[in-house]
Amino acid sequence: MKTFSTEKELQAISAKLLKEGKTIGFVPTMGALHSGHISLIEAANEACDFSVCSIFVNPTQFDKQVDLDKYPITIEADKKLLEAANCDFLLLPSVAEVYPNGKDNYTAPDIGKIVGILEGKHRIGHFEGVMQVVERLLRMTLATDLFMGLKDYQQYLVCSKMTKVVGLDHVKVHGMPIVREKSGLAKSSRNVRLSKNGKELALNISKRLKKTRVLNYKNNIKRLEKKAEEFFEKFPEIELEYFEVVDKNTLMKPTGKDKKENLIALCAAWIDGVRLIDNMVLS
Ligand code: PAF
């Protein structure tokens, strides 16, 4: 695996590859890699001629400085995992390299209401920062394909929409299945910050999503959400931020009776001071 810290070095190679008609699959990450990230590298290797991973803890997508400060940095271990997964290129840029004109010099494209709901409602400015960095990294890497995990389902939809409106519609965006631990807990870089008890408690998130999937309330969304809220009230150590059932394409509340296969349940909750998210399509 070749490691680059600048756009210029990486582009010297990727521009040549594109000229030869090769495809470049890109996996953006903030490091602290786990098997969920590695599954994305494997998918990129499978679908594309070359794979590029970036590790960059993007300051513009954190609404709380403390969350940014606490973000785990494990570069040496990450490199080993990427080597073992046969990742071709690693981009490890500085903040100045990613934002040469300053990180605050950005106007997010208008991609509609999706930016201000669910995650966007609770993490003000988060998706603007995600769009800013993903657009910039796509331009730095010259990627033809983008691989994103569906644990961050809203992020995947936001980035898909963003590529269409900023002139990156040639980039094929792949949403890849959530990787879970045997227990059902969705893999996340934040899980390492959970205590043993916190990890046990966190299992209730995927449990409730599964329960919501099997419940048959004739898709009575209000009832599904209320039952979930009542369930989480039994655990005072879990601070539920939202549990919502919405249309899986728009993330809006369906107006009429939507078919179960069009619905998704999304959840965000705090445990041990760690913010966890997960989701499940209801079909
Ligand atoms: O999902 C993440 O880790 C980040 O939001 C991403 C896509 C790497 C952008 O910084």
Side-chain angles (χ1 to χ4, degrees):
M1 180 176 70
K2 260 183 167 314
T3 301
F4 302 92
S5 55
T6 67
E7 171 175 23
K8 205 169 155 210
E9 290 169 299
L10 176 58
Q11 282 192 355
I13 296 197
S14 39
K16 196 163 156 273
L17 293 175
L18 289 184
K19 257 198 191 144
E20 291 167 7
K22 305 281 193 238
T23 52
I24 302 171
F26 173 49
V27 179
T29 80
M30 298 204 294
L33 302 184
H34 50 70
S35 49
H37 296 111
I38 296 306
S39 74
L40 300 180
I41 301 290
E42 285 166 356
N45 278 338
E46 180 86 21
C48 300
D49 298 310
F50 289 87
S51 54
V52 187
C53 176
S54 64
I55 298 180
F56 177 66
V57 183
N58 174 35
T60 69
Q61 71 185 76
F62 287 85
D63 55 337
K64 290 190 183 76
Q65 182 67 31
V66 53
D67 224 12
L68 172 62
D69 295 342
K70 276 193 196 162
Y71 209 86
I73 309 277
T74 56
I75 299 289
E76 287 317 309
D78 292 349
K79 278 187 175 169
K80 283 197 185 120
L81 286 175
L82 291 172
E83 293 269 7
N86 294 321
C87 179
D88 294 299
F89 307 123
L90 168 62
L91 178 63
L92 257 180
S94 62
V95 174
E97 183 67 18
V98 175
Y99 301 123
N101 302 320
K103 63 181 172 50
D104 302 325
N105 196 1
Y106 173 72
T107 308
D110 182 3
I111 60 160
K113 286 191 181 144
I114 193 169
V115 163
I117 56 174
L118 298 160
E119 286 299 286
K121 190 167 147 196
H122 292 274
R123 302 180 71 189
I124 304 297
H126 172 65
F127 285 126
E128 286 80 355
V130 168
M131 288 195 283
Q132 177 185 18
V133 77
V134 173
E135 176 184 353
R136 176 74 184 116
L137 290 169
L138 283 170
R139 296 194 192 282
M140 289 172 85
T141 56
L142 304 180
T144 56
D145 292 63
L146 171 65
F147 292 81
M148 304 197 94
L150 292 180
K151 183 174 81 66
D152 294 285
Y153 187 82
Q154 191 175 2
Q155 167 171 275
Y156 156 73
L157 286 184
V158 163
C159 289
S160 304
K161 281 179 185 282
M162 175 275 291
T163 55
K164 308 255 172 342
V165 302
V166 301
L168 289 171
D169 37 353
H170 58 280
V171 176
K172 191 169 171 201
V173 185
H174 305 251
M176 305 308 294
I178 300 177
V179 177
R180 297 184 180 280
E181 294 187 2
K182 265 206 192 106
S183 61
L185 180 66
K187 293 259 185 178
S188 164
S189 305
R190 294 168 184 234
N191 291 352
V192 294
R193 287 168 47 207
L194 291 171
S195 65
K196 197 161 170 268
N197 182 44
K199 219 169 168 189
E200 285 288 316
L201 282 166
L203 298 186
N204 289 302
I205 296 176
S206 56
K207 262 195 202 155
R208 192 62 216 181
L209 288 166
K210 265 192 216 151
K211 180 81 181 168
T212 304
R213 192 173 57 183
V214 297
L215 277 177
N216 184 0
Y217 288 153
K218 295 200 169 51
N219 298 341
N220 183 334
I221 288 170
K222 279 218 173 92
R223 186 146 179 228
L224 289 169
E225 291 174 344
K226 188 154 187 291
K227 284 281 168 195
E229 280 160 20
E230 283 168 8
F231 169 79
F232 283 107
E233 275 164 17
K234 288 190 277 184
F235 305 96
E237 306 99 317
I238 303 180
E239 193 192 318
L240 184 67
E241 212 165 67
Y242 63 79
F243 189 104
E244 288 202 36
V245 177
V246 291
D247 180 285
K248 75 171 184 194
N249 298 310
T250 60
L251 299 192
M252 299 292 160
K253 290 278 181 242
T255 37
K257 276 247 154 67
D258 216 333
K259 287 202 184 100
K260 208 168 184 178
E261 59 265 31
N262 291 335
L263 296 176
I264 186 168
L266 301 115
C267 177
W270 289 86
I271 298 173
D272 286 346
V274 182
R275 190 170 186 279
L276 301 172
I277 58 169
D278 198 355
N279 66 77
M280 230 171 252
V281 173
L282 295 193
S283 59

